[in-house]
Amino acid sequence: MFTIYVYVLDTLADWELGHVISELNSGRFFKKGAQHVSLKMVSYSKEPIHTMGGLTIVPDCLINDIVVSKTSVLLLPGADTWNDPKHVAVIEKASEFLTLGAAVCAICGATVALANFGLLDQRPHTSNGPGFLEMVSPGYKGQSFYIDKPSVAENNLITASCTGALLWTKQIIEYLGVFQSNTLESWYEYFSTGEPKYFFALMQTLPSSTEN
């Protein structure tokens, strides 16, 4: 079983998590025999947080409850509040994940938090465009590892820009291996183009409801 820890903090950018948590929680396009996935909302306290879109999320657990293992994944969404010192603890946990070889998936403002901690200095990554991390993270030294793409998956680190949420989701699902490859490709093509032919292709990749 995979445990997906989704870090939640005030001003969380709702849309960046929309595709990935919906697909992993529903399992609607999972392949036959896929590993079970459990999502847990984690934060620095049990107090409700309020997203950028005005949603209220009550965390399931605290940072200290995170189990660091190769079947755990840490999702770090964008937010305007990453500079608050109370979030350092989850970035320290991200460092533990990366050291062990467990997956850390960071998007938008969360990439800044990783950069501030030096976690992008020696790892291929992306963010909100060339020059962005230098502008907001004075100690950033990972310029030679920066890849100018919407989302970059390299071993157990998956990073994305604020416009890369769909590709980020695809790469996370690919890392977990819970979709058939043709399901994942059709899913991505449909949601990135809106063309009906990809929807029908997606449906054709799913196991028949009559299968045992």
Side-chain angles (χ1 to χ4, degrees):
M1 183 181 80
F2 290 110
T3 302
I4 314 297
Y5 294 99
V6 183
Y7 190 67
V8 294
L9 67 170
D10 283 323
T11 72
L12 181 156
D14 314 61
W15 67 93
E16 293 174 351
L17 287 177
H19 283 293
V20 67
I21 63 174
S22 296
E23 299 303 353
L24 295 182
N25 185 65
S26 71
R28 59 181 179 162
F29 299 135
F30 279 19
K31 66 185 180 183
K32 188 177 179 181
Q35 286 204 52
H36 179 67
V37 173
S38 172
L39 266 69
K40 293 183 180 295
M41 303 295 135
V42 59
S43 197
Y44 56 89
S45 81
K46 286 288 189 77
E47 292 299 311
I49 69 96
H50 303 286
T51 72
M52 198 174 293
L55 299 179
T56 299
I57 299 175
V58 179
D60 300 310
C61 58
L62 301 175
I63 295 167
N64 286 342
D65 298 322
I66 294 175
V67 176
V68 182
S69 79
K70 288 193 176 180
T71 57
S72 299
V73 175
L74 182 61
L75 298 190
L76 303 175
D80 292 337
T81 53
W82 270 111
N83 285 335
D84 192 313
K86 61 193 172 191
H87 304 309
V88 169
V90 78
I91 301 304
E92 291 174 341
K93 192 66 69 171
S95 180
E96 293 180 36
F97 268 67
L98 292 171
T99 298
L100 179 69
V104 172
C105 309
I107 185 169
C108 191
T111 64
V112 179
L114 296 182
N116 287 338
F117 209 75
L119 296 178
L120 303 183
D121 289 350
Q122 301 293 323
R123 296 179 173 92
H125 62 277
T126 193
S127 186
N128 293 338
F132 173 74
L133 290 175
E134 290 91 328
M135 181 175 65
V136 296
S137 179
Y140 171 67
K141 298 182 179 64
Q143 291 87 346
S144 62
F145 290 90
Y146 189 88
I147 299 172
D148 189 18
K149 292 183 178 179
S151 187
V152 170
E154 184 69 26
N155 297 320
N156 57 319
L157 176 65
I158 305 174
T159 52
S161 73
C162 59
T163 60
L166 189 67
L167 181 56
W168 188 61
T169 297
K170 178 178 184 280
Q171 291 172 333
I172 293 168
I173 292 172
E174 190 169 33
Y175 174 89
L176 294 171
V178 291
F179 281 22
Q180 292 183 151
S181 59
N182 58 347
T183 301
L184 183 56
E185 288 305 319
S186 296
W187 176 91
Y188 181 72
E189 291 294 341
Y190 178 60
F191 282 101
S192 59
T193 69
E195 293 188 22
K197 66 179 180 180
Y198 294 117
F199 173 78
F200 293 111
L202 170 61
M203 292 300 104
Q204 291 168 2
T205 69
L206 302 180
S208 168
S209 59
T210 61
E211 289 184 11
N212 294 323

